[in-house]
Amino acid sequence: MLVLLPPSEGKAASGRGAPLKPESLSLPGLAAAREAVLTELVELCAGDEDKAREVLGLSEGLRGEVGKNAELRTAGTRPAGEIYTGVLYDALGLASLDVAAKRRAARSLLVFSGLWGAVRVTDRIPSYRCSMGVRLPGLGALGAHWRTAMASVLPEAAGDGLVLDLRSAAYAAAWKPKGEVAGRTAAVRVLHAPTRKVVSHFNKATKGRIVRGLLTAGAAPKGPAELVEVLRDLGYVVEAEAPARAGQAWSLDVLVNEVH
């Protein structure tokens, strides 16, 4: 099973570990695309601060993020699973998983990123600020930049198992499963049952709990239909829609009554 996650806007501070070693990151097929983004982002943020803040869509209060990006090549690192914070990652609680569940997380979780493309939670990275919605002056829209590299790398990472897609729309734009991979992909929404609307906070929290539940239970559903049964066994109310034609993903709605 491969679980696709969005990153978090807020991130923990860079660690005290050795500086970034790009060659050590998972999915080496993304290396050239990563280097292109990293180079332009560092140069942008080391130059005109106001321009960098405008490009990155940062408020005045986040001006310090520009300086942080300028030092990405020399900053300390820590595992990506510690860098990403926020509602989803708080609910997932990687640090408190047992040893077996942590091993499953290392194998199955893939966090999408405007800067790195996608990383595993064990990859050591510095803290940064660069969302997938950014349009860099030289490279253009990052979603489009990543699509070419990911078209060959991600199907290989998916192997022949289930792909559980929990990404937000901006990050889903970087890679859309196609063909046979799409048929074993389940794209999940979390809806407030009474209103059938997505509410951002509990949408993220519920997705984090879903992943934690799957990792803790050691669940290994082989496809979307089996995933539905596993989620129902874990206590979730799930509505599933199989694809209308080949080459499309399954759609799963998880219905939650309480907003928390």
Side-chain angles (χ1 to χ4, degrees):
M1 177 173 64
L2 186 67
V3 182
L4 311 181
L5 297 174
S8 57
E9 285 298 318
K11 298 174 183 68
S14 295
R16 295 183 178 180
L20 174 70
K21 296 179 180 178
E23 70 279 4
S24 72
L25 298 179
S26 302
L27 308 180
L30 298 178
R34 285 175 179 143
E35 181 58 31
V37 179
L38 179 62
T39 296
E40 183 168 355
L41 183 62
V42 169
E43 290 179 355
L44 172 70
C45 292
D48 185 329
E49 187 177 86
D50 289 331
K51 178 181 178 182
R53 196 159 56 84
E54 180 182 356
V55 169
L56 297 174
L58 301 177
S59 66
E60 176 66 31
L62 294 173
R63 183 176 288 271
E65 299 292 282
V66 175
K68 183 165 68 176
N69 282 348
E71 298 175 353
L72 283 171
R73 293 192 185 274
T74 57
T77 58
R78 62 172 66 185
E82 297 177 14
I83 289 287
Y84 295 115
T85 60
V87 176
L88 188 155
Y89 291 91
D90 285 347
L92 172 52
L94 284 169
S96 62
L97 292 173
D98 62 37
V99 173
K102 284 180 178 177
R103 289 197 194 103
R104 296 181 194 109
R107 291 194 305 267
S108 63
L109 304 188
L110 203 59
V111 184
F112 274 61
S113 161
L115 173 54
W116 313 115
V119 292
R120 297 198 183 275
V121 293
T122 50
D123 285 333
R124 298 190 67 90
I125 58 174
S127 186
Y128 68 96
R129 191 69 174 236
C130 183
S131 71
M132 191 66 80
V134 164
R135 179 183 292 272
L136 292 176
L139 292 177
L142 290 179
H145 170 75
W146 285 112
R147 276 198 289 273
T148 299
M150 289 193 178
S152 59
V153 174
L154 267 293
E156 181 179 351
D160 58 3
L162 168 72
V163 178
L164 173 54
D165 191 351
L166 301 176
R167 298 172 296 167
S168 54
Y171 291 90
W175 180 60
K176 182 179 180 180
K178 296 180 180 179
E180 185 269 336
V181 179
R184 47 188 166 84
T185 296
V188 173
R189 297 188 306 173
V190 178
L191 303 180
H192 182 219
T195 63
R196 300 195 67 87
K197 293 182 179 179
V198 174
V199 181
S200 179
H201 183 279
F202 87 90
N203 167 59
K204 295 175 182 177
T206 302
K207 286 180 176 179
R209 294 187 194 108
I210 286 172
V211 177
R212 184 180 180 88
L214 292 170
L215 294 172
T216 301
K222 298 187 184 336
E226 188 173 335
L227 172 65
V228 172
E229 297 308 312
V230 170
L231 291 178
R232 287 172 176 164
D233 288 344
L234 289 173
Y236 292 99
V237 177
V238 183
E239 295 179 352
E241 182 179 343
R245 59 180 182 273
Q248 294 182 325
W250 284 59
S251 297
L252 270 59
D253 287 341
V254 176
L255 306 180
V256 181
N257 285 305
E258 296 182 4
V259 179
H260 58 85

